[in-house]
């Protein structure tokens, strides 16, 4: 394990992070769509409202108010319900408390002095966000100041001003979940993407691991979630995994393997048109949903509705009146940005190239996979065979990468000796 994870603390990664603005569970789906579109993470933490704002919360109280993380796939799956499609105006006014999957364990409140290695262990166990107080004095870059020295934890605080003003200063091994120290109201949220950006900036310290193939490192997760292209797309909403929040759309081959043709995921739907996407999820096959249907739409054509104004889309003519009903295509859903710029998409082939799932090969290096995830703002990469770019063998997500970079190296003495 690289010493960089022992010599840095969570506070080092929070420099420049904006203050968290809580999103309450009483807010509407409409407000959630706006918030997710504006977020930099692709999902928003949802909170119960404070019962008494005058009461100063401690870490445990804050943790108990956390409900879960709401993402785009949760919303699209909700809006695809029959009763929501019948009355979309009512559906988007629904409180998010009726939509979100309650999971209090995907966020943890931690002290800025928590070692980075401890934070990585939390994330390997399923924590997706770390809530870090911003109200204490913090100097950042703690290589010399947060490590164990003669059995004691060195504080990274301004001791001259710490007395009576830093109630969460941690002189022992940090313990985020059980802390009863007082926490102020200013926090920032640290995501796994933030951690991955830090890791990719420290590749030299991790050598030779980053250049090793994901297959040799055992990073590939074969237990992925998938759906055949011929199945109704709505079936994907019944099997949404939590991490990564993605379902591969596959086609079986003659030899019993599967070709990947697309995915239904929170990251693909991040900035989509939610109303159009929900209609498509409810009415099309999984293959049609991810590949697009532009020619000869049959019996069940989409309603002539204005596309989701909340993410900047419209289906209005120059005169402001609705145009003729449009043939559906996944381009209209808005997988890849604002449909107002639809003139950019000049052909189906270009569309399909951009709709292709993010993939790598079993021979790809760990560094290459990390770079893919960060450059595409994704949560995962699908893994294919080395000889065939279409045959799906597994998936690599954040948890798999974190497990690889924190794994203890095998001692040379324990390696098998040649006979």
């Amino acid at each position: 394990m690289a010493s960089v994870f022992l010599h840095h603390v969570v506070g080092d990664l929070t420099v420049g992070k904006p203050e968290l603005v809580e999103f309450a569970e009483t807010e509407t789906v409409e407000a959630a769509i706006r918030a997710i579109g504006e977020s930099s993470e692709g999902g928003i933490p949802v909170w119960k409202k404070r019962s008494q704002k005058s009461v100063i919360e401690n870490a445990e109280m804050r943790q108990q108010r956390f409900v879960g993380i709401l993402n785009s796939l949760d919303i699209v799956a909700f809006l695809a319900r029959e009763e929501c499609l019948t009355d979309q105006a009512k559906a988007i006014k629904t409180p998010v408390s009726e939509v979100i999957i309650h999971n209090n364990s995907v966020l943890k409140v931690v002290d800025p002095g928590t070692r980075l290695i401890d934070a990585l262990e939390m994330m390997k166990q399923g924590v997706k966000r770390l809530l870090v107080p911003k109200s204490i004095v913090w100097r950042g870059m703690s290589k010399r100041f947060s490590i164990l020295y003669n059995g004691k934890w060195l504080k990274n605080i301004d001791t001259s001003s710490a007395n009576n003003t830093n109630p969460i200063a941690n002189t022992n091994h940090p313990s985020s979940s059980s802390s009863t120290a007082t926490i102020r109201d200013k926090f920032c949220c640290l995501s796994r993407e933030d951690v991955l950006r830090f890791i990719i900036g420290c590749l030299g310290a991790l050598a030779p691991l980053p250049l090793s193939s994901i297959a040799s490192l055992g990073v590939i997760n074969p237990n992925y979630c998938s759906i055949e292209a011929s199945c109704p797309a709505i079936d994907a909403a019944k099997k949404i995994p939590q991490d990564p929040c993605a379902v591969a759309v596959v086609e079986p081959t003659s030899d019993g393997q599967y070709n990947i043709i697309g995915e239904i995921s929170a990251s693909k739907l991040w900035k989509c048109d939610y109303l159009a996407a929900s209609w498509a999820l409810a009415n099309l096959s999984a293959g049609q949903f991810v590949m697009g249907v532009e020619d000869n739409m049959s019996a069940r054509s989409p309603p002539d509705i204005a596309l989701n104004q909340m993410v900047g889309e419209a289906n209005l003519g120059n005169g402001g009146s609705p145009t003729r009903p449009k043939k559906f295509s996944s381009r209209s859903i808005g997988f890849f940005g604002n449909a107002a710029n639809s003139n950019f998409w000049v052909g189906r082939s270009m569309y399909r190239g951009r709709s292709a799932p993010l993939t790598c090969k079993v021979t790809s290096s760990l560094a290459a996979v990390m770079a893919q995830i960060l450059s595409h703002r994704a949560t995962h990469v699908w893994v294919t065979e080395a000889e065939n770019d279409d045959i799906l063998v597994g998936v690599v997500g954040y948890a798999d990468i974190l497990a690889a970079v924190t794994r203890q190296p095998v001692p040379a003495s324990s390696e098998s000796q040649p006979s």
Side-chain angles (χ1 to χ4, degrees), residues 138-194:
W138 188 253
R139 294 183 181 277
M141 293 310 299
S142 60
K143 184 172 181 179
R144 300 179 182 178
F145 306 110
S146 64
I147 62 174
L148 275 170
Y149 182 75
N150 290 336
K152 295 183 180 180
W153 283 89
L154 300 181
K155 294 186 292 183
N156 186 7
I157 58 173
D158 185 349
T159 54
S160 64
S161 61
N163 294 334
N164 301 322
T165 62
N166 185 14
I168 63 171
N170 203 350
T171 56
N172 299 311
H173 190 288
S175 176
S176 60
S177 60
S178 60
S179 174
T180 57
T182 302
I183 293 180
R184 305 284 177 92
D185 288 335
K186 293 184 179 181
F187 295 81
C188 66
C189 221
L190 199 66
S191 68
R192 294 180 298 181
E193 181 179 321
D194 295 319

Side-chain angles (χ1 to χ4, degrees), residues 83-309:
E83 62 272 21
C84 294
L85 290 173
T86 303
D87 191 347
Q88 291 179 324
K90 178 181 178 182
I92 63 174
K93 298 299 181 183
T94 304
V96 297
S97 58
E98 299 182 23
V99 180
I100 189 171
I101 299 173
H102 290 242
N103 189 348
N104 183 264
S105 64
V106 294
L107 177 144
K108 292 294 182 185
V109 183
V110 299
D111 188 282
T114 302
R115 291 188 306 173
L116 186 55
I117 185 60
D118 297 323
L120 295 182
E121 288 299 325
M122 295 179 200
M123 289 183 166
K124 284 163 55 179
Q125 299 302 318
V127 174
K128 297 182 179 181
R129 305 287 174 87
L130 298 175
L131 194 66
V132 188
K134 288 180 67 72
S135 58
I136 72 167
V137 178
W138 188 253
R139 294 183 181 277
M141 293 310 299
S142 60
K143 184 172 181 179
R144 300 179 182 178
F145 306 110
S146 64
I147 62 174
L148 275 170
Y149 182 75
N150 290 336
K152 295 183 180 180
W153 283 89
L154 300 181
K155 294 186 292 183
N156 186 7
I157 58 173
D158 185 349
T159 54
S160 64
S161 61
N163 294 334
N164 301 322
T165 62
N166 185 14
I168 63 171
N170 203 350
T171 56
N172 299 311
H173 190 288
S175 176
S176 60
S177 60
S178 60
S179 174
T180 57
T182 302
I183 293 180
R184 305 284 177 92
D185 288 335
K186 293 184 179 181
F187 295 81
C188 66
C189 221
L190 199 66
S191 68
R192 294 180 298 181
E193 181 179 321
D194 295 319
V195 173
L196 196 59
R197 289 189 185 280
F198 174 83
I199 292 173
I200 209 167
C202 304
L203 292 185
L206 298 173
L209 189 110
L211 296 182
S212 303
S213 72
I214 55 176
S216 66
L217 295 173
V219 175
I220 305 169
N221 180 5
N223 301 315
Y224 57 87
C225 192
S226 66
I227 182 175
E228 290 195 17
S230 59
C231 295
I234 193 65
D235 288 353
K238 303 173 183 176
K239 56 168 67 175
I240 300 175
Q242 291 300 301
D243 192 25
C245 187
V247 178
V249 179
V250 299
E251 288 181 334
T253 63
S254 57
D255 57 357
Q257 296 180 303
Y258 291 95
N259 288 334
I260 182 169
I261 64 171
E263 67 175 63
I264 300 174
S265 66
S267 56
K268 280 289 187 183
L269 293 167
W270 181 2
K271 296 182 184 294
C272 76
D273 181 295
Y274 289 77
L275 298 183
S278 62
W279 179 91
L281 192 68
N283 291 281
L284 302 179
S285 70
Q288 290 172 327
F289 185 88
V290 298
M291 296 297 289
V293 180
E294 301 182 70
D295 303 310
N296 300 321
M297 279 292 291
S298 58
R300 308 179 71 180
S301 59
D304 182 18
I305 58 173
L307 297 184
N308 198 340
Q309 302 281 348

Side-chain angles (χ1 to χ4, degrees), residues 312-314 337-343:
E313 313 228 357
N338 194 328
N341 298 324
S342 58
N343 290 336

